Amino acid sequence: MTRYFTKDHEWIAVEGSEATVGITHYAQSQLGDITFVEVPAIHATVGKGDSASVVDSVKAASDVYAPVSGTVTAVNAALEDQPELVNSEAEGEGWLWKMTLSDPAELAGLMDEAAYQTFVAEL
Amino acid sequence: MSDTYDIDLSDDHEGEPLGPLSLPLDDWHRARGGRMVDFAGYWMPVQFEGIIAEHLWTRTSAGFFDVSHMGQLYVSGEGVEAALEAVLPIDLATLPVGGVRYSLLLNDQGGILDDLMVTRWSTGFYLVVNGATKWDDIAHLREFLPDEVTLNHLEDSALFALQGPKAAEALEGLISGEQSLSSLSFMRGAAFKLGEIEAWISRSGYTGEDGFEISVPAENAAEIADLVCAQPQVKPIGLGARDSLRLEAGLPLYGHDMTDSVDPVSADLLFGINKRRRTEGGFPGADTILPLITNGAPTRRVGLLIEGRMAAREGAMVLLGDTEIGTVTSGGFSPSLERPIAMAFVATEHAAPGTSLSIDVRGRKLAATVAPMPFVPHCYYRKGAA
């Protein structure tokens, strides 16, 4: 499994043509207490960069963009009752949706973990 | 992720070429892990450990807020009372020394330029105005107050709030003065020594809880903050929780729930216009406002309880069926009620508590019910009643 990151602070963990998407630890720390997550519809088709989900914190609502194009295959039902999982387990149990990739070549434009950490350190 | 849709912590402040300014506790906040944001032209802490934790701490114990961005003014001189009554819809004849009263700065059209607190000191009046509007307020007051009346901007004073059910208990052991803290009821103030420092302390605030607002010399700000926050009941609280606390308390925020194009009747702030002035008039905008008091205003500020978990925020459209009947002016998640709440301006005929409405949030319709405010009961300290 390979994990990639976007400059908009999403992560995507890819295994073959399947992937899991969430927001990064850094993103959740900037948002503060998350109170609601609007996940995409299962079977929805998303294009790279489309707003696929919305994360609501006490402060504000923020779009989560699809890191790559594809089709949503599952959403994290646990977030309905425990949106705070995105705070406590942003890069694990707090995942947002799973998807199949329609164009794996899009992954080439994303950062690896080291590059993302460098990117965040400079913010 | 995107930038935020809105973060209504940032008040409008136009035409300021310089970056944010630093307040006396700037280093103090940073040393305690405060996340600093530009608010009303100043660097201020939006949160320390987290908005929900800070909010609930204030509701159950005591929160320390730095509100030194607010404008502290002192107005004095011959004829000051009549001069202030000419610019504010306040009845100063019924305000004793040490009394604190909520009032409104109005324009000639009846729009709200600011809301403020007015305290009678033995020699003049102490005013506290909003940070984002203070420069305009000062200019406005200087223009309309006569030459015999002097307005001093108390820029060398810091202002703190200590709010919550344990605020009195935390402050009690730290102060000395001619009167006891327990003799100070809601909306009363007095001079005390806080530690060794001269402080003006009033029993007032912006959270709905019992608590105090504390004015001290800016040079002693960190010392006072250390002293107060050393009490086990007290933690520093950021602007984020200040906003969620005041929303639950049903208290409007200037620039959002009231503006210069909103009148006090629509804003449900009639208590800011004292009884005698409602009949006598003689304040800016009275020609517009007095008929609204008699006949009602076409729109009204209401509270909305929202179903589900998704919050509605400023600017969201309020609907009755498919018809737009209003707009959300403040909204967010209520940590105490664990559900989203909002304030909105709606057509008066749909403003009755219990009315079922909906709110359009990014194309989704959220069910909402008009609810009486405050959303969370006020717990003010009223002598005799306590």
Side-chain angles (χ1 to χ4, degrees):
Chain A
M1 191 176 71
T2 314
R3 200 176 278 251
Y4 301 89
F5 296 83
T6 72
K7 62 175 174 40
D8 295 317
H9 308 288
E10 292 94 11
W11 57 265
I12 178 166
V14 184
E15 198 152 21
S17 63
E18 303 285 319
T20 305
V21 178
I23 68 169
T24 65
H25 175 73
Y26 173 82
Q28 72 76 24
S29 75
Q30 291 297 305
L31 290 175
D33 296 316
I34 289 163
T35 54
F36 176 75
V37 180
E38 186 181 24
V39 292
I42 295 175
H43 306 310
T45 306
V46 294
K48 177 181 164 70
D50 289 353
S51 171
S53 167
V54 176
V55 174
D56 228 350
S57 75
V58 180
K59 278 185 283 188
S62 305
D63 281 312
V64 183
Y65 301 117
V68 294
S69 307
T71 303
V72 176
T73 56
V75 297
N76 189 350
L79 299 180
E80 196 172 324
D81 292 329
Q82 295 176 274
E84 63 273 15
L85 276 177
V86 181
N87 287 122
S88 57
E89 300 274 345
E91 299 186 24
E93 294 298 305
W95 60 277
L96 303 183
W97 74 86
K98 294 181 191 288
M99 63 190 290
T100 53
L101 275 53
S102 56
D103 181 8
E106 288 174 341
L107 292 168
L110 304 180
M111 287 177 272
D112 65 12
E113 173 120 38
Y116 178 70
Q117 293 307 336
T118 305
F119 171 71
V120 165
E122 286 169 0
L123 291 176
Chain B
M1 294 190 38
S2 67
D3 285 339
T4 53
Y5 281 99
D6 62 65
I7 180 153
D8 41 26
L9 298 169
S10 58
D11 275 10
D12 296 333
H13 47 97
E14 298 164 4
E16 287 175 19
L18 301 170
L21 302 171
S22 294
L23 290 167
L25 282 192
D26 195 85
D27 291 344
W28 191 94
H29 292 309
R30 290 175 198 272
R32 276 155 194 79
R35 181 179 299 160
M36 306 299 275
V37 297
D38 175 3
F39 180 81
Y42 295 97
W43 286 115
M44 298 195 67
V46 66
Q47 67 172 65
F48 293 87
E49 61 178 304
I51 294 175
I52 292 178
E54 292 167 33
H55 179 112
L56 297 175
W57 181 266
T58 305
R59 287 265 182 260
T60 53
S61 191
F64 174 85
F65 303 76
D66 178 15
V67 288
S68 298
H69 65 302
M70 299 185 83
Q72 299 182 71
L73 313 178
Y74 177 61
V75 186
S76 61
E78 201 183 321
V80 61
E81 208 158 318
L84 276 178
E85 285 201 357
V87 292
L88 300 172
I90 195 168
D91 181 2
L92 292 172
T94 56
L95 187 67
V97 172
V100 184
R101 194 165 291 168
Y102 180 83
S103 193
L104 298 164
L105 203 58
L106 301 163
N107 64 24
D108 286 336
Q109 291 73 47
I112 303 171
L113 295 171
D114 202 1
D115 62 342
L116 71 160
M117 293 292 223
V118 178
T119 304
R120 186 192 285 273
W121 281 354
S122 56
T123 50
F125 293 90
Y126 167 64
L127 277 49
V128 177
V129 302
N130 279 300
T133 47
K134 66 183 174 184
W135 302 111
D136 288 342
D137 292 352
I138 290 168
H140 177 87
L141 288 168
R142 288 213 164 116
E143 185 182 346
F144 290 98
L145 291 173
D147 293 344
E148 301 76 37
V149 171
T150 309
L151 184 151
N152 293 102
H153 185 192
L154 308 179
E155 289 191 88
D156 296 330
S157 294
L159 188 65
F160 305 136
L162 184 66
Q163 302 279 299
K166 296 183 181 171
E169 171 190 317
L171 200 56
E172 190 85 64
L174 306 177
I175 58 134
S176 53
E178 285 176 18
Q179 63 181 105
S180 67
L181 206 56
S182 60
S183 70
L184 206 62
S185 58
F186 181 58
M187 296 299 263
R188 285 302 183 94
F192 290 91
K193 269 199 164 178
L194 178 49
E196 296 303 313
I197 309 301
E198 299 284 349
W200 177 263
I201 300 179
S202 65
R203 201 152 202 161
S204 54
Y206 195 43
T207 61
E209 296 296 328
D210 182 24
F212 304 90
E213 290 174 299
I214 303 167
S215 177
V216 294
E219 60 184 8
N220 304 113
E223 182 187 340
I224 295 294
D226 279 339
L227 180 68
V228 175
C229 290
Q231 306 310 304
Q233 303 91 340
V234 182
K235 285 184 182 180
I237 308 295
L239 289 173
R242 181 172 157 82
D243 192 50
S244 54
L245 288 159
R246 69 92 196 164
L247 181 60
E248 286 183 353
L251 301 171
L253 174 61
Y254 192 79
H256 302 270
D257 310 304
M258 55 186 146
T259 67
D260 62 5
S261 56
V262 172
D263 68 85
V265 181
S266 303
D268 197 17
L269 294 173
L270 213 50
F271 70 99
I273 302 177
N274 293 161
K275 196 175 167 193
R276 170 168 66 83
R277 309 304 303 278
R278 291 180 207 171
T279 47
E280 286 181 8
F283 56 86
D287 292 348
T288 308
I289 293 167
L290 296 184
L292 291 173
I293 294 175
T294 309
N295 305 322
T299 60
R300 190 164 190 85
R301 181 173 62 95
V302 297
L304 295 172
L305 282 171
I306 301 166
E307 299 303 319
R309 296 275 297 189
M310 187 190 271
R313 297 179 194 276
E314 186 172 4
M317 198 190 296
V318 181
L319 304 157
L320 177 73
D322 292 324
T323 310
E324 180 177 2
I325 56 131
T327 307
V328 171
T329 53
S330 284
F333 185 78
S334 160
S336 302
L337 303 177
E338 297 185 305
R339 63 184 297 174
I341 56 174
M343 285 185 203
F345 278 76
V346 301
T348 304
E349 61 265 37
H350 306 300
T355 306
S356 293
L357 301 172
S358 62
I359 307 176
D360 185 311
V361 178
R362 302 185 293 272
R364 198 196 263 213
K365 273 191 188 177
L366 309 182
T369 308
V370 177
M373 291 192 285
F375 295 101
V376 171
H378 291 163
C379 297
Y380 299 137
Y381 176 80
R382 292 188 164 93
K383 242 188 323 180

